Amino acid sequence: MNRRDILKGLTILPLTGGIVGKAAASIGGKAPALPVKPERDLFKELGVTPVINASVTMTFLSGSLMLPEVLEAINSTSHDFANMYELQDKVGAKIAEMLHVEAAMVTSGAACAILLSTAAAITGTDPEKIKLLPNLPGPRPEVIMQKTHRYLFDQAVTTTGAKIIEVEGADEMEKAINDRTVMALFFNAAEKSSIQHADFVAVAKKHNIPTLLDAAADVPPVENLFKYQKIGFDLVTFSGGKMIRGPQSAGLLFGRKDLITAARANHSPNEAPIGRPMKVNKEEMFGMYAALKAYLERDHKKEWEDWLQRAKHIGSQLETVQSVKTETLVDPGPANAFPSLKVTWDPEKIKIKPEDVVKALKGGTPSIVAGGRKDHLLVGVVLLRPDQVDIVAGRVKSILQQAT
Ligand SMILES: *Cc1c(COP(=O)(O)O)cnc(C)c1O
């Protein structure tokens, strides 16, 4: 597989709405229409290596590929100015309606949503406090988290000046609440919880403490977009640039109206607040709306079937190599809860370690990112464009074959 072949692959792209489609890539999205040759190949111009993602959505690998609908929204709205307050009002209202909550906003990703939620919980709409953050006088505001929920992204909490108070179990949570407590944060994909969702919400509600749930990577299933507000979380966030396939630098924050109003007061287009450096542009707001709408309207069952088919298809090609066995694994989630292909082989017959297969895939052309475990290779299928399924199968097969 050489560079020309990749470029050839890239020319079979969905064309929606004329000017879009050049850079668009369909992952089981709309059927490709007319092939479009890119007029200008910026990857080539800058010498940037295009990567095939046979793994899961990762920020360092540019998240996911935007849906054709999103690119269409970005392009078609780029020709006029808009008042950003009005745009956030209108997009937020529509998203809120779609997700059955009081209010919503587009943030620059879930990490921004965590920061804005914390800021909102600290300042409300008080302009003095908003201006002072993160340097409010007095004791630091406190955010409660379960000890087992601490994670890298909670730096977005402390960036506001707040301090994280770790608790274990509902009793400890209740005892930790005091007049400095501003919020309680639940990391949805944490491996262990000593307080389950409903109890967490109940304790917080009893003391009038707002709750935020971080479910950044937790679709599919699509139902998760509705589940946590029903449990009673005041705010919920999802990344826009993961499986919802919106702009990578967009995200959703939704829930209670007063908190969303306060979060917006801490955000761009206002000039001084803590969230000003986390601006979302006009096109990405439209794009996030279009992504969510397309995601909700998608035939999720069909998409799932398509993923299983891909895994089966790649598996059957790999099993033609002696001793190779494959199995479709579905990650139990809640993050990345979708199928991928587990590949194992007899190390006596195929003399290469899974990690070295990963290295060979990455170093080849096209560069392919797959998952390596100690005793198996994990080939992701959900982020492949239709034309990349055979490319990935072929490359893995040839690397394994060469090691026989
Ligand atoms: C990806 C992720 C984030 C950050 O989301 P962005 O949209 O990239 O800002 C936060 N929390 C969790 C659990 C994530 O998986």
Side-chain angles (χ1 to χ4, degrees):
M1 191 57 50
N2 62 28
R3 170 114 190 111
R4 256 189 36 242
D5 292 324
I6 320 166
L7 290 174
K8 228 163 55 198
L10 279 168
T11 60
I12 310 166
L13 295 168
L15 180 73
T16 45
I19 47 170
V20 207
K22 284 169 194 159
S26 168
I27 315 170
K30 286 189 173 172
L34 288 176
V36 184
K37 260 210 159 69
E39 281 153 23
R40 183 176 175 189
D41 183 348
L42 285 149
F43 273 90
K44 204 172 172 184
E45 191 172 317
L46 294 172
V48 175
T49 313
V51 177
I52 293 179
N53 187 348
S55 185
V56 298
T57 59
M58 288 175 279
T59 286
F60 94 94
L61 262 192
S62 64
S64 81
L65 298 179
M66 287 185 274
L67 289 166
E69 289 89 339
V70 177
L71 292 165
E72 188 179 2
I74 287 172
N75 275 302
S76 66
T77 57
S78 65
H79 307 288
D80 289 291
F81 291 94
N83 177 309
M84 294 302 286
Y85 292 102
E86 184 197 3
L87 179 57
Q88 185 75 283
D89 276 348
K90 301 279 164 70
V91 164
K94 205 70 191 175
I95 292 173
E97 187 188 314
M98 291 194 279
L99 298 179
H100 312 155
V101 286
E102 284 176 15
M105 68 183 291
V106 179
T107 65
S108 62
C112 169
I114 296 166
L115 180 139
L116 291 181
S117 300
T118 313
I122 296 169
T123 65
T125 52
D126 182 335
E128 275 314 302
K129 287 185 179 166
I130 289 169
K131 213 171 145 197
L132 284 171
L133 219 58
N135 300 308
L136 280 185
R140 289 170 74 184
E142 294 178 1
V143 170
I144 290 177
M145 285 184 79
Q146 300 185 50
K147 202 173 193 161
T148 53
H149 285 208
R150 292 299 306 274
Y151 62 157
L152 290 173
F153 291 105
D154 65 35
Q155 191 181 26
V157 169
T158 52
T159 302
T160 64
K163 175 161 105 182
I164 292 169
I165 304 296
E166 293 178 2
V167 300
E168 243 175 311
D171 286 345
E172 230 178 87
M173 178 174 172
E174 184 139 21
K175 283 193 198 111
I177 295 175
N178 61 57
D179 57 7
R180 295 181 300 280
T181 311
V182 291
M183 191 176 84
L185 169 60
F186 196 104
F187 169 32
N188 199 45
E191 267 172 34
K192 274 197 210 127
S193 296
S194 55
I195 315 165
Q196 301 307 316
H197 296 77
D199 294 336
F200 192 87
V201 166
V203 172
K205 276 210 190 315
K206 188 170 153 198
H207 297 276
N208 219 5
I209 304 297
T211 46
L212 165 66
L213 179 111
D214 173 6
D218 301 351
V219 287
V222 61
E223 290 79 23
N224 281 357
L225 281 164
F226 302 90
K227 183 174 172 183
Y228 304 106
Q229 56 272 44
K230 277 191 214 141
I231 293 174
F233 281 91
D234 296 305
L235 290 170
V236 179
T237 181
F238 283 87
S239 290
K242 292 179 182 165
M243 294 301 279
I244 300 176
R245 294 182 57 194
Q248 188 191 9
S249 44
L252 297 169
L253 177 63
F254 55 86
R256 235 169 71 188
K257 193 172 175 93
D258 60 324
L259 292 170
I260 295 292
T261 302
R264 284 185 56 182
N266 277 285
H267 196 216
S268 177
N270 299 299
E271 275 150 7
I274 192 162
R276 171 63 196 231
M278 295 149 218
K279 184 193 273 183
V280 182
N281 71 22
K282 175 192 70 188
E283 290 79 7
E284 290 189 333
M285 282 202 197
F286 280 114
M288 190 64 244
Y289 159 71
L292 180 64
K293 189 164 191 293
Y295 188 73
L296 293 175
E297 287 170 358
R298 176 161 336 152
D299 184 343
H300 294 274
K301 231 174 116 181
K302 188 167 164 290
E303 183 177 62
W304 190 269
E305 280 307 313
D306 181 41
W307 291 337
L308 294 177
Q309 274 308 318
R310 289 168 170 213
K312 212 170 134 188
H313 180 76
I314 297 172
S316 66
Q317 291 193 46
L318 300 184
E319 285 186 4
T320 61
V321 184
Q322 61 162 330
S323 89
V324 170
K325 290 205 169 46
T326 65
E327 183 190 346
T328 302
L329 290 187
V330 177
D331 192 302
N336 302 323
F338 40 69
S340 40
L341 187 73
K342 178 182 174 184
V343 187
T344 52
W345 54 87
D346 180 349
E348 298 292 314
K349 301 221 163 78
I350 302 178
K351 295 184 172 62
I352 186 167
K353 281 192 255 164
E355 62 186 75
D356 293 322
V357 177
V358 170
K359 271 189 207 145
L361 286 168
K362 185 164 175 258
T365 306
S367 178
I368 298 172
V369 171
R373 302 291 184 273
K374 205 172 149 49
D375 61 347
H376 66 273
L377 179 73
L378 202 59
V379 179
V381 296
V382 304
L383 299 174
L384 302 178
R385 292 199 317 255
D387 60 294
Q388 292 172 336
V389 176
D390 279 326
I391 297 175
V392 170
R395 279 280 301 289
V396 177
K397 185 176 162 182
S398 97
I399 291 165
L400 293 176
Q401 236 157 12
Q402 275 167 29
T404 55

